Amino acid sequence: MPLSLKIALSSLRAHRLRTLLAMIGVLLGALALTGVQHVSKAMLEKTEVETAKLGSNLFIAQSGQLAFRRDGTARSRNEARNFTLADARALIGGIPSVRRGVPFITQTMPIRLGDNKIPSQVVATTDTYPEVRNFRPEHGRFFSTAEQEARARVVVLGAKIAERLFGSAEKALGEQVFFFRAGVRVIGVMESKGADISGTDQDEQVFVPLSTFMRRMANQNWISGVYLQLDHPDAHVTARPAAEAILRARHSIGPGKEDDFSLLTAKDTMKVQQQALDLVGTLGLISSSISFAVGGLGILSIMVLLVRTRRLEIGVRRAVGAQRLDIVRQFMLEAALMSGSGGGVGVLLALVLVVVVCRLGNMPLVIDPLLIAGSLGGSVLLGLAAGAYPAWQAAHIEILDVLKNQE
């Protein structure tokens, strides 16, 4: 072990408590910086994964207006009942970048099996829904075009609905359930999917043919909206103004009047969530900066104290031939070692916390080597900056002054 490192470790051990207090600020700074940024990255990656589940290049035209909450989920601000199947067909045929589309109606209704009645969200749609929304049955099948045209009394259950009614998906197939007094036969159970863009748990949805719902179950002529699958990810840039022009013309909305529909993509949700995550990241940077500043002042103060208590050591080393640069290096090494150790412990604690948070929050584990290296490097640089002035003081101690004071 080099002599300078031995001296540095011996000096830090001799002032354990002060060294520990000085390291705490750097530790907290590295902990905040590494931990918050890693959790933000994990949350963003989870958002991207959940967004991909909505469907490939999904674009939604929906009746009424939506407002986004801070968590990125959407809620209905006002509703309208003038969105029709003709509007859906006009959008599918009138926007060049649309590959396919599927109209839908969503409505909350109780579903019953015997005396067991539970709430569910009914999604009335067409047979192309699984391809557009990338959401397919895990057991059984989805309803067919023929069943859609025949207004068949069939239903596909969400995973949680099937479990709550039957105990397992396999037991649900072929059984009859009821919406009020209307009986329908279970032909499939969907894969487990989680929450969608509105925050609705898709595993608590049930799917029926659109024609069956509109004529046999609800007797209504309007729909909730249409899911449009675009040709490529950036097609929404041209699809949005085209859809807006089509719907405003069909709904006779004049200039300056508010839309009675909403147009959104998965990226709209990501944008809101990204803003929230950016705010969290900014707060993390502010807190870590404050902690680093406090840690830097702590290191500066203890290094100044060390210089004062080690004047004799410095004078003796100079007397036996040590150069001023050697003294500067010695004290800079001690400051960097103190700060780097605090940063290293902070990074390790942050990584442990990140693993725990990702496990508990069911988020993908994201480890960024550059961020870790930045935290460690920043900690060391902070120590070098804080130790520069004390090192300069130590190097300019006069040998004769030290020897006279010892007499």
Side-chain angles (χ1 to χ4, degrees):
M1 182 182 296
L3 179 60
S4 296
L5 184 57
K6 288 183 179 180
I7 296 174
L9 293 175
S10 176
S11 174
L12 297 181
R13 281 197 298 267
H15 301 84
R16 291 186 183 89
L17 182 58
R18 292 172 180 172
T19 300
L20 180 61
L21 291 176
M23 289 171 55
I24 286 177
V26 183
L27 184 152
L28 294 177
L31 176 63
L33 179 62
T34 308
V36 172
Q37 297 300 322
H38 272 91
V39 171
S40 297
K41 288 177 179 291
M43 292 174 66
L44 181 59
E45 185 164 322
K46 182 180 181 181
T47 300
E48 293 174 349
V49 171
E50 294 298 326
T51 300
K53 292 181 180 179
L54 295 175
S56 176
N57 306 329
L58 187 67
F59 181 69
I60 307 171
Q62 186 164 334
S63 175
Q65 289 193 331
L66 299 177
F68 284 103
R69 303 181 182 93
R70 289 185 177 181
D71 61 358
T73 59
R75 62 176 178 83
S76 178
R77 197 173 74 188
N78 56 55
E79 297 180 356
R81 294 187 173 183
N82 59 346
F83 204 114
T84 65
L85 281 172
D87 291 334
R89 286 191 288 267
L91 291 172
I92 296 171
I95 303 176
S97 56
V98 172
R99 182 182 302 171
R100 68 183 84 179
V102 53
F104 67 93
I105 297 173
T106 57
Q107 185 171 321
T108 300
M109 296 178 66
I111 185 172
R112 178 172 58 86
L113 175 66
D115 295 331
N116 187 11
K117 183 169 67 174
I118 59 175
S120 67
Q121 184 182 64
V122 177
V123 179
T125 185
T126 64
D127 56 290
T128 55
Y129 182 91
E131 285 72 31
V132 174
R133 288 299 307 273
N134 190 26
F135 189 19
R136 295 175 173 81
E138 186 174 4
H139 304 277
R141 61 179 179 83
F142 209 75
F143 45 81
S144 64
T145 304
E147 288 169 324
Q148 161 70 22
E149 293 174 350
R151 303 174 186 173
R153 297 177 180 268
V154 294
V155 65
V156 181
L157 304 180
K160 289 183 179 178
I161 296 293
E163 184 177 351
R164 291 172 65 183
L165 288 178
F166 296 96
S168 68
E170 293 81 357
K171 294 179 181 179
L173 298 180
E175 297 295 328
Q176 189 177 50
V177 294
F178 292 84
F179 295 100
F180 300 111
R181 294 185 178 180
V184 291
R185 180 171 56 89
V186 179
I187 60 173
V189 177
M190 301 297 280
E191 62 186 337
S192 182
K193 193 78 167 182
D196 67 3
I197 195 170
S198 66
T200 301
D201 190 344
Q202 296 175 93
D203 298 334
E204 294 188 349
Q205 293 178 328
V206 295
F207 303 86
V208 298
L210 185 65
S211 58
T212 303
F213 184 88
M214 295 182 72
R215 293 293 170 260
R216 294 183 182 272
M217 297 175 64
N219 192 28
Q220 69 181 56
N221 294 318
W222 68 89
I223 63 175
S224 299
V226 57
Y227 296 117
L228 304 172
Q229 188 180 53
L230 305 180
D231 287 335
H232 53 87
D234 296 326
H236 67 90
V237 175
T238 56
R240 186 183 293 272
E244 184 176 357
I246 291 172
L247 290 177
R248 288 184 67 89
R250 291 187 60 83
H251 293 185
S252 302
I253 302 174
K257 296 293 184 65
E258 194 175 48
D259 294 337
D260 59 3
F261 57 87
S262 297
L263 304 174
L264 62 155
T265 67
K267 291 185 177 181
D268 295 324
T269 301
M270 285 190 62
K271 187 183 299 182
V272 174
Q273 293 182 336
Q274 180 66 62
Q275 291 173 351
L277 293 177
D278 287 344
L279 177 59
V280 172
T282 301
L283 294 176
L285 287 175
I286 292 174
S287 63
S288 62
S289 299
I290 294 174
S291 297
F292 275 130
V294 172
L297 290 174
I299 292 173
L300 173 62
S301 62
I302 194 173
M303 292 306 298
V304 169
L305 179 63
L306 288 176
V307 170
R308 291 177 181 175
T309 58
R310 294 164 61 187
R311 289 174 59 85
L312 179 59
E313 173 196 327
I314 296 169
V316 171
R317 290 187 65 183
R318 290 293 311 280
V320 298
Q323 301 297 315
R324 286 182 174 177
L325 183 58
D326 297 324
I327 304 300
V328 169
R329 288 173 178 171
Q330 178 65 51
F331 280 87
M332 293 287 281
L333 174 62
E334 293 181 16
L337 185 62
M338 188 186 309
S339 183
S341 298
V345 174
V347 168
L348 288 176
L349 289 177
L351 293 178
V352 172
L353 290 176
V354 167
V355 171
V356 172
V357 170
C358 290
R359 292 275 180 89
L360 295 178
N362 194 26
M363 295 185 295
L365 180 61
V366 178
I367 302 296
D368 188 346
L370 291 179
L371 181 58
I372 294 173
S375 296
L376 294 174
S379 300
V380 174
L381 290 176
L382 176 66
L384 294 175
Y389 174 69
W392 180 87
Q393 274 190 323
H396 286 78
I397 290 176
E398 294 295 336
I399 302 173
L400 292 178
D401 290 342
V402 174
L403 297 178
K404 285 180 181 179
N405 290 333
Q406 293 304 312
E407 295 176 355

